[in-house]
Amino acid sequence: MLFRTLAKPDFKALVERILASTEVIGPKRVGTDRHGRPIHHYLPVESFDEIDLDYETTEFSAKTYFLPYKENLCSYRFQDDDWRQEIRYRIQPRAIIGLHACDIHALIKLDKALARDFFPSPYYISRRKNTFVVGIDHDPCEGGFCRSLGTDTATHGFDLFLTDLGERYFVAIGSDRGFRALSGLPAAEITEQDTEDYLRVRKRIAAGFKTEINVQNLPNLLDIEFESPVWEKWGGKCLSCGSCAMVCPTCYCYGVSERVSMDFASGAKTKQLYSCNLIDFAVVAGGHNFRPNRQTRLKYRYYHQHRGFMEAYDEPKCVGCNRCGRTCLAGINPVEVIRDLQAEDET
Amino acid sequence: MKYLGIEPKRLRFAVFEFTGCEGCELQLANKEETLLAFLGAVDVVEFREVSSARNGAYDVALVDGAISRTDEVERLREIRARAKVLVALGSCACFGGVNRMKNACDLDQANREVYGDHPKETLPTRAIHEVVPVDLKIPGCPVSKAEVERIVQHLLFEVPYQFPVYPVCLECKQHFTVCLFDKGQLCLGPITRGGCDAPCPAGGLGCWGCRGKAADANIDEFRSIARERAHGEREIAERLGFFGGFEEHS
Ligand code: SF4
Ligand code: SF4
Ligand code: SF4
Ligand code: SF4
Ligand code: SF4
């Protein structure tokens, strides 16, 4: 990895340079919740000053810029006895400024499932490849447990990654594209002082984590606790609303539907993100529902996060951002659910 | 006008209104960009909003409004007897709708309050299916024309239409709407059937449940969530009772 330092005004200049030709997304404050805390969303910005790099977390992940909630997969038009299909991948470049480490890990996990496995998705890949990612270090967000999952620091999956050293940023360069982006800017070679400052900040951040889960042996524990009353307890509260999967940076399930125009001359296939908590998620042809009750559906959500994905890719799917926990009206959150399971295991 | 080489059926549609605001009927005449194609795909034989034609036979009867008078009961029975497919159109037809509120009052008193010294004959409000068997229910206050179009397309090709079964929250999240519970408001989104695209929360108004209950709605948990956030029993009951889609819970 190459490192540089960049004075804050020069970083602003960099973003403004990108803005001149490219859509820029950044954390923007959109309101205040009922506890008086700011709410941030990743949104397109028109100037650098709209970006609030000191944000704690966002309500929604940045997944939507890679896996939109609704996406046109193809359009088709009939003519005489023939038909034409049109497929458009999104290739317009875009930059996302200010992703936290957990969200960069989320992209790395999505890469594994959607770009590097047996069925790579050209829809995902075109967006991912054409998105310039700038990450940033930050003090732990409330309830986040990324450190337990090893997703509190990022060493790849981005173009640039910033650590705030006060007047300047410590910049990790993660790609050729990142390197080229710095050209013409007074980015300095790092000094011993820079390294020292960087490590001090990293230490402060690491010491700030208050929330932890123990993921040791979790896949086996999940198998052992398959019939646990813990699933009754938490699953019974589930509203089967899918909000958790919508805000989760790594949930990628979807359904596909066809819409035909009213004159029957054209149509479109649309993909819509879905959630395993929704009641018809496991309905198969013929109408049988493999997971008709909410308890089972909630359980399988946890199984995919911490067991199924682990089996396929040697790591859990969850990055510990706790967005699902914050958004769930019923208060269902991974930290408590997993702790309950572990307590169950000890009794 | 074939689709994938298959000729759709020609179906004759008739539209009838009962106790309601006619908003759903107006919706049928809405969405100008596809109105011609819509009217080209179906034969409308009776529909006050777009034509004055009256012509005896029809296959599909779209019925909007609730039933609240004896003469309406008679008229509905007649329509049922003549229609091959009877469709309840909108929340009034599906659940009784806002009109159902009067059932909680003393009918005579309600009558006097509205009509003064000239009371009208009136019955407790009922949904269409409480009077005659219904083949298809399209909820919504008003119904969405886009959804009606899709359902009509399914009818023309005789394939069953699958309504979304998930609650409003899913589409609400997909629009990045800040949750109204987070702003201290009550919202029936978690227990109401989705498919409307969650316009009310997006506009800053909690869902009032016009599409009725979502499949396997977790009403108990919803109540405790609302109570925990300091919404009173009365407010919750009023909300659940508003469109009549949660009749057994309000
Ligand atoms: S866990 Fe919470 S957010 Fe997820 S589906 Fe259940 S109620 Fe909704
Ligand atoms: S499961 Fe929850 S905590 Fe884990 S990545 Fe998804 S939203 Fe974040
Ligand atoms: S199965 Fe559930 S947990 Fe897994 S990606 Fe799909 S929605 Fe997310
Ligand atoms: S505003 Fe209503 S519909 Fe939207 S997420 Fe919140 S509860 Fe669900
Ligand atoms: S959000 Fe609720 S009240 Fe509004 S249209 Fe949808 S179901 Fe009806």
Side-chain angles (χ1 to χ4, degrees):
Chain A
M1 181 94 64
L2 282 176
F3 301 107
R4 293 284 185 276
T5 56
L6 194 62
K8 285 188 173 170
D10 295 324
F11 177 66
K12 176 175 174 172
L14 168 64
V15 174
E16 276 167 356
R17 196 159 77 184
I18 300 174
L19 264 166
S21 64
T22 308
E23 183 186 27
V24 173
I25 311 296
K28 229 171 133 171
R29 188 171 169 161
V30 295
T32 309
D33 73 8
R34 68 197 166 104
H35 307 292
R37 277 196 292 261
I39 301 174
H40 286 90
H41 287 179
Y42 294 115
L43 288 170
V45 296
E46 270 161 33
S47 76
F48 177 80
D49 297 327
E50 288 175 47
I51 304 177
D52 181 4
L53 285 175
D54 291 326
Y55 77 110
E56 185 181 339
T57 181
T58 55
E59 190 180 12
F60 294 85
S61 69
K63 149 172 98 175
T64 185
Y65 298 106
F66 304 92
L67 285 177
Y69 287 129
K70 274 201 178 148
E71 185 171 27
N72 174 294
L73 297 182
C74 76
S75 307
Y76 46 93
R77 173 160 279 284
F78 299 101
Q79 214 150 33
D80 306 322
D81 278 338
D82 205 358
W83 64 298
R84 287 172 67 86
Q85 177 176 258
E86 195 186 352
I87 296 177
R88 281 193 192 198
Y89 303 121
R90 190 191 193 280
I91 50 167
Q92 297 92 314
R94 193 185 248 158
I96 302 191
I97 310 294
L99 283 192
H100 288 166
C102 61
D103 286 334
I104 288 172
H105 278 275
L107 291 177
I108 296 171
K109 289 174 199 288
L110 290 178
D111 290 346
K112 290 192 175 172
L114 304 174
R116 299 182 209 273
D117 210 342
F118 296 117
F119 301 103
S121 157
Y123 299 93
Y124 174 77
I125 293 171
S126 60
R127 285 168 185 268
R128 175 72 162 119
K129 281 209 159 144
N130 291 302
T131 306
F132 187 80
V133 174
V134 180
I136 189 165
D137 257 336
H138 68 114
D139 285 300
C141 66
E142 194 183 312
F145 52 98
C146 52
R147 191 164 166 78
S148 306
L149 294 161
T151 55
D152 57 327
T153 56
T155 52
H156 63 289
F158 53 79
D159 296 287
L160 297 173
F161 195 92
L162 315 173
T163 304
D164 190 337
L165 301 184
E167 304 285 297
R168 65 200 191 289
Y169 287 116
F170 187 89
V171 186
I173 301 171
S175 69
D176 294 355
R177 198 161 62 173
F179 185 79
R180 285 197 306 275
L182 292 178
S183 74
L185 288 165
E189 300 279 341
I190 48 166
T191 63
E192 251 173 61
Q193 183 65 47
D194 294 330
T195 321
E196 232 173 71
D197 290 350
Y198 168 73
L199 293 174
R200 192 171 337 106
V201 170
R202 281 298 327 159
K203 239 188 218 161
R204 184 198 74 216
I205 293 173
F209 282 96
K210 295 195 182 72
T211 316
E212 276 184 359
I213 60 166
N214 177 6
V215 291
Q216 247 239 312
N217 208 23
L218 190 52
N220 280 341
L221 175 73
L222 283 168
D223 275 349
I224 291 164
E225 296 300 343
F226 192 78
E227 305 283 355
S228 166
V230 167
W231 301 119
E232 283 298 316
K233 171 184 163 189
W234 291 100
K237 291 158 77 69
C238 180
L239 299 154
S240 307
C241 69
S243 294
C244 45
M246 293 308 107
V247 300
C248 177
T250 62
C251 276
Y252 47 73
C253 282
Y254 63 92
V256 175
S257 61
E258 268 174 52
R259 292 277 159 90
V260 180
S261 68
M262 198 60 232
D263 60 4
F264 298 102
S266 62
K269 265 190 206 298
T270 309
K271 164 180 167 181
Q272 183 181 16
L273 294 197
Y274 222 67
S275 157
C276 55
N277 288 101
L278 303 179
I279 185 165
D280 61 344
F281 184 82
V283 174
V284 292
H288 180 69
N289 190 348
F290 279 96
R291 298 176 201 162
N293 54 58
R294 40 182 94 108
Q295 290 83 351
T296 325
R297 292 194 297 273
L298 185 75
K299 172 161 75 182
Y300 274 100
R301 177 170 161 76
Y302 279 80
Y303 270 62
H304 189 209
Q305 299 289 2
H306 295 282
R307 185 183 171 283
F309 203 83
M310 189 83 168
E311 243 172 42
Y313 307 107
D314 295 320
E315 54 182 296
K317 181 170 127 352
C318 174
V319 298
C321 66
N322 197 35
R323 285 191 180 94
C324 58
R326 277 183 221 109
T327 211
C328 180
L329 289 168
I332 302 169
N333 65 92
V335 173
E336 283 185 86
V337 172
I338 290 170
R339 270 196 205 144
D340 267 6
L341 279 175
Q342 282 158 341
E344 190 63 26
D345 191 46
E346 278 155 20
T347 52
Chain B
M1 199 183 50
K2 285 184 179 173
Y3 182 69
L4 300 179
I6 303 166
E7 193 73 54
K9 295 193 79 143
R10 283 303 312 178
L11 292 178
R12 289 160 302 177
F13 282 70
V15 187
F16 302 97
E17 78 266 7
F18 289 86
T19 304
C21 72
E22 292 183 32
C24 289
E25 270 182 74
L26 271 178
Q27 274 297 96
L28 292 182
N30 223 334
K31 210 162 166 280
E32 279 159 37
E33 65 282 13
T34 56
L35 189 57
L36 275 183
F38 182 73
L39 294 174
V42 298
D43 294 325
V44 180
V45 294
E46 199 160 330
F47 186 12
R48 236 167 35 95
E49 301 286 348
V50 297
S51 90
S52 54
R54 295 279 182 281
N55 179 353
Y58 46 82
D59 306 296
V60 183
L62 304 176
V63 175
D64 98 302
I67 303 304
S68 66
R69 288 195 317 261
T70 318
D71 64 304
E72 289 188 329
V73 174
E74 290 314 311
R75 195 154 67 91
L76 180 63
R77 289 208 177 113
E78 217 175 282
I79 293 166
R80 171 70 273 187
R82 288 167 63 189
K84 291 191 192 115
V85 181
L86 184 86
V87 182
L89 191 71
S91 304
C92 296
C94 291
F95 319 118
V98 188
N99 314 298
R100 202 171 195 116
M101 267 191 272
K102 92 169 174 191
N103 297 3
C105 316
D106 175 66
L107 277 195
D108 287 330
Q109 201 188 326
N111 211 330
R112 243 172 290 129
E113 220 161 273
V114 178
Y115 298 107
D117 293 338
H118 310 281
K120 298 259 186 309
E121 186 271 339
T122 185
L123 294 173
T125 303
R126 278 180 292 171
I128 304 296
H129 71 92
E130 293 172 288
V131 182
V132 296
V134 167
D135 301 301
L136 190 65
K137 294 177 191 163
I138 310 180
C141 181
V143 290
S144 130
K145 176 69 182 295
E147 189 166 45
V148 172
E149 284 184 350
R150 284 199 296 284
I151 292 167
V152 166
Q153 288 179 325
H154 283 71
L155 284 173
L156 296 181
F157 283 95
E158 299 183 286
V159 281
Y161 178 74
Q162 180 66 54
F163 283 96
V165 288
Y166 51 75
V168 173
C169 293
L170 187 84
E171 286 164 323
C172 184
K173 285 286 181 261
Q174 296 186 339
H175 286 294
F176 307 97
T177 303
V178 172
C179 182
L180 289 170
F181 277 104
D182 244 340
K183 296 181 174 169
Q185 288 192 46
L186 185 62
C187 178
L188 292 190
I191 49 173
T192 300
R193 170 154 58 168
C196 58
D197 232 12
C200 304
L205 190 75
C207 171
W208 283 74
C210 79
R211 290 173 65 89
K213 206 161 63 154
D216 195 29
N218 195 342
I219 309 275
D220 291 342
E221 179 61 23
F222 176 78
R223 279 187 199 279
S224 62
I225 286 167
R227 281 186 204 118
E228 268 167 33
R229 287 161 177 77
H231 297 287
E233 294 306 323
R234 216 180 128 172
E235 188 190 2
I236 299 170
E238 261 175 25
R239 187 65 72 95
L240 286 171
F242 195 75
F243 282 109
F246 296 85
E247 180 72 358
E248 65 278 28
H249 303 284
S250 47

